Amino acid sequence: AEAVELFKVLTTGGDRPEEIFHSTGGDGLTFMSDVPESCLGGADVVLGIDEAGRGSVLGPMTYSAAYWPVSMQEEMEQKPFDDSKALTHEKRRKYFELIQDTPDCGYVVRVLQASEISRNMLRKVPYNLNDMSHDSAMEMIRNVQRQGVKLTKCIIDTVGIPESYKRKLDKAFEGQGIEFIVEKKADANYKCVSAASICAKVARDEITPNWVFPEEGYTPVNGKEWNSGYPSDPKCKAWMESNLVDKVFCYPDVIRFSWGPIKDRIEERGVPVVWEDEDEETGQSSMSDFLGNSDGGKRKRQRLGGNKVQKGIER
């Protein structure tokens, strides 16, 4: 297959826009480029990993990996790739096109939608963002390996404590001959991590402003004028203030309901909702009433409307 036309797919949703822009059930999508011929046939390959949008209050977090043969490292060092945060939007797009046009470079992008993040972090036993990040990184590594690529070095911009993250990776890939380097600011110090940083940021930059709201009949105040999507951004703060219009469900699914600033707004402006342990069809109490509920009556749990349980089609 031809390499993914990432700009086009992320802007239009391709053939399945409902899965890219408003997948409210299951995991977000993973995009992969073609595997360079030079990365096959037993060649030693180095891979870098970075993310974008971790601290944002809305939209996806995007994870990316970029890789090329170790034998090409000296040539790749001459590329202008840099930490995406140090580049303008125009340069990121230009360098992403350069990555696509470099025959020895492959990449992977994993999209973690806001709804996926919310569901995971609002579980009874939370699946936190660090664990999601670690698992996404390992998922991308395995995806590349499945294509027949022999990874001998993986360099990762750390999430959490570098030493403990490295131990986790060493254990997960024990005996596979991969050297792991996990460091802070790896996106500025290693070209393969810089390339991954650019891929991740470009993907997020394409998805967020082109978001398609799944909520039927919903028209946001100020459109999608949320700028960076970070809670400290004045435009994002203004958007959040203007768009908490439903007192029960509060915000659309582009929002990360597990984030502190969102929880605070829901606490202030949402309405309390009482959930009853009763079977709606039979009118009988649920099994949980008979297990561990000593008063023998209905248990009522009060929740704010924003702490909703999303149900969707698992793919």
Side-chain angles (χ1 to χ4, degrees), residues 9 121 137 160 176 248 295 298:
V9 171
M121 293 186 69
Q176 297 186 34
V248 176
D295 62 9
K298 295 179 184 176

Side-chain angles (χ1 to χ4, degrees), residues 8 13 108 124 137 153-154 190 217 237 250:
K8 181 178 178 181
V108 185
K124 186 175 181 179
K153 181 181 287 187
C154 290
Y190 298 91
K237 289 172 73 173
C250 299

Side-chain angles (χ1 to χ4, degrees), residues 2 23 36 40 63 65 68 76 88 144 156 165 172 175 214 226 244 246 273 276 287 289 296 305 309 315:
E2 294 182 357
S23 175
L40 298 172
Y63 242 77
W68 49 67
M76 291 299 182
T88 64
V144 172
I156 302 172
Y165 190 5
W226 46 50
L244 201 162
D246 187 301
V273 176
E276 296 188 358
M287 181 61 73
D289 286 332
V309 177
R315 300 197 315 279

Side-chain angles (χ1 to χ4, degrees), residues 97-164:
E97 290 171 350
L98 176 60
I99 290 168
Q100 287 191 306
D101 292 339
T102 301
D104 297 299
C105 183
Y107 65 87
V108 185
V109 175
R110 166 73 163 90
V111 180
L112 287 86
Q113 296 290 21
S115 57
E116 180 181 355
I117 294 169
S118 297
R119 287 195 311 275
N120 287 339
M121 293 186 69
L122 292 173
R123 292 179 182 180
K124 186 175 181 179
V125 178
Y127 176 24
N128 67 46
L129 199 61
N130 278 6
D131 286 338
M132 280 186 262
S133 298
H134 296 169
D135 289 345
S136 295
M138 290 187 282
E139 174 188 335
M140 291 191 296
I141 292 170
R142 293 187 179 106
N143 280 337
V144 172
Q145 288 180 314
R146 290 187 192 105
Q147 307 308 308
V149 176
K150 178 188 172 187
L151 296 176
T152 56
K153 181 181 287 187
C154 290
I155 308 170
I156 302 172
D157 194 82
T158 193
V159 173
I161 300 170
E163 293 78 13
S164 60

Side-chain angles (χ1 to χ4, degrees), residues 178-194:
I178 302 176
E179 175 192 359
F180 285 101
I181 298 173
V182 183
E183 294 182 3
K184 296 178 180 179
K185 300 188 181 301
D187 51 359
N189 297 325
Y190 298 91
K191 288 292 183 179
C192 58
V193 186
S194 298

Side-chain angles (χ1 to χ4, degrees), residues 61-270:
M61 182 172 78
T62 49
Y63 242 77
S64 183
Y67 60 96
W68 49 67
V70 172
S71 62
M72 301 293 297
Q73 185 62 33
E74 186 174 347
E75 179 178 333
M76 291 299 182
E77 287 293 333
Q78 306 309 309
K79 302 289 184 184
F81 307 147
D82 198 356
D83 172 12
S84 65
K85 296 187 291 296
L87 302 173
T88 64
H89 176 74
E90 291 72 22
K91 282 192 174 181
R92 285 194 294 266
R93 287 185 65 112
K94 179 182 177 181
Y95 294 162
F96 177 74
E97 290 171 350
L98 176 60
I99 290 168
Q100 287 191 306
D101 292 339
T102 301
D104 297 299
C105 183
Y107 65 87
V108 185
V109 175
R110 166 73 163 90
V111 180
L112 287 86
Q113 296 290 21
S115 57
E116 180 181 355
I117 294 169
S118 297
R119 287 195 311 275
N120 287 339
M121 293 186 69
L122 292 173
R123 292 179 182 180
K124 186 175 181 179
V125 178
Y127 176 24
N128 67 46
L129 199 61
N130 278 6
D131 286 338
M132 280 186 262
S133 298
H134 296 169
D135 289 345
S136 295
M138 290 187 282
E139 174 188 335
M140 291 191 296
I141 292 170
R142 293 187 179 106
N143 280 337
V144 172
Q145 288 180 314
R146 290 187 192 105
Q147 307 308 308
V149 176
K150 178 188 172 187
L151 296 176
T152 56
K153 181 181 287 187
C154 290
I155 308 170
I156 302 172
D157 194 82
T158 193
V159 173
I161 300 170
E163 293 78 13
S164 60
Y165 190 5
K166 182 180 184 303
R167 286 194 296 270
K168 188 174 185 179
L169 291 163
D170 286 336
K171 183 177 180 180
F173 294 91
E174 186 176 3
Q176 297 186 34
I178 302 176
E179 175 192 359
F180 285 101
I181 298 173
V182 183
E183 294 182 3
K184 296 178 180 179
K185 300 188 181 301
D187 51 359
N189 297 325
Y190 298 91
K191 288 292 183 179
C192 58
V193 186
S194 298
S197 174
I198 291 166
C199 292
K201 189 69 170 73
V202 165
R204 177 175 159 80
D205 284 351
E206 291 302 311
I207 293 174
T208 307
N210 293 291
W211 186 259
V212 179
F213 292 95
E215 293 80 10
E216 187 174 347
Y218 175 72
T219 301
V221 179
N222 298 330
K224 289 172 273 190
E225 293 293 325
W226 46 50
N227 205 23
S228 69
Y230 281 73
S232 59
D233 187 314
K235 283 192 174 182
C236 183
K237 289 172 73 173
W239 192 92
M240 289 190 295
E241 285 297 325
S242 301
N243 282 279
L244 201 162
V245 294
D246 187 301
K247 296 295 185 181
V248 176
F249 294 104
C250 299
Y251 285 110
D253 277 322
V254 71
I255 284 287
R256 301 182 189 177
F257 287 89
S258 51
W259 255 231
I262 297 302
K263 288 182 175 180
D264 291 343
R265 281 172 171 77
I266 290 172
E267 186 77 33
E268 294 167 3
R269 296 168 57 184

